[in-house]
Amino acid sequence: MQIFKSSPEISDYLKSLHNGQTVGFVPTMGALHSGHSALVERSVAENDITICSIFVNPLQFNRKEDLDTYPDRMQADIDLLEDLNCHILFNPSKEDIYSDESRLTYDFGSIGKGMEAEYRPGHFEGVAEVIHRFFNILKPTRAYFGEKDYQQLAIVRWLTEKYAHSTEIVGCETIRDKSGLAMSSRNYNLSAEEYEKASDIFKTLSYCRDNKGSFQPQELAKICFDMLSVDFRPEYFTIADQFTMEPLKEWTDSEYPRAFVAAYCGNVRLIDNLSLITNKNEK
Ligand code: AMP
């Protein structure tokens, strides 16, 4: 695996590739786990060259403490990427990516309101800024994102269309451990006891999916929020349309209802989501 730390160098290298070679891109913040591995594996299977980036993007952290405690496991990450046959690791510095002060302004519409946008002001502006810059440097054929960060995936799709990036956005299902807990770099910061407890988040999402028939959306969301409040500090439990991200008042408001949750387990903020469609043609 080649490691690039400078955007002009990787950009020059990519220009030297044969025409027609496809480039898959997996942006990450490191502390890799099996959720990231699934994205890299898919990219390796679908493209000639796979680039994984590790860049802890300061612009998307609204709490300094969160940025300061973000796990760093660079050597283990490099070993894992080698094992996955990833071709390139791109690990630029903040100064490289943000060498100029200019920032775009974004009007995301309904997908940029509520949930993560509400509880992490500026977060999606930071995500959009870094992805826009990465796409301009790498011009990937395809880029792989997890459904674990579902609202982020919607933001990235919006950005790609708005700025006419030629990259195809590939959404990949959430990878969970056997208890149902969504894999996350933040799980590295959970104590053994918290880790065990954290699977209740998925259990609550599943309860929500299984009890759709008995309650209206807002009532059910409140029940789930209260269930989580026993052991967690939930910020939101929202049932929304998975495309517009608008909260549902009635089930007839959306053909694609999805439950979204953010909750603190100890000091660690976890997010997850689950489709509430139970038929065979589940999206
Ligand atoms: P992060 O390093 O947390 O910024 O995540 C990098 C990419 O991996 C994002 O597209 C995430 O949505 C994706 N990802 C993180 N956790 C998972 C998971 N458990 N399953 C699938 N994709 C994930």
Side-chain angles (χ1 to χ4, degrees), residues 139-158:
K139 306 197 187 331
T141 318
R142 300 186 186 88
Y144 296 79
F145 292 86
E147 291 187 345
K148 151 91 169 30
D149 300 278
Y150 208 89
Q151 200 174 4
Q152 166 175 286
L153 177 58
I155 294 283
V156 171
R157 289 192 195 283
W158 176 92

Side-chain angles (χ1 to χ4, degrees), residues 205 208-209 237-240 257-261 272-276:
L205 286 168
C208 181
R209 183 193 53 203
F237 192 105
T238 303
I239 297 173
R258 202 168 190 100
F260 297 85
V261 58
D272 201 352
N273 65 84
L274 191 67
S275 168
L276 302 183

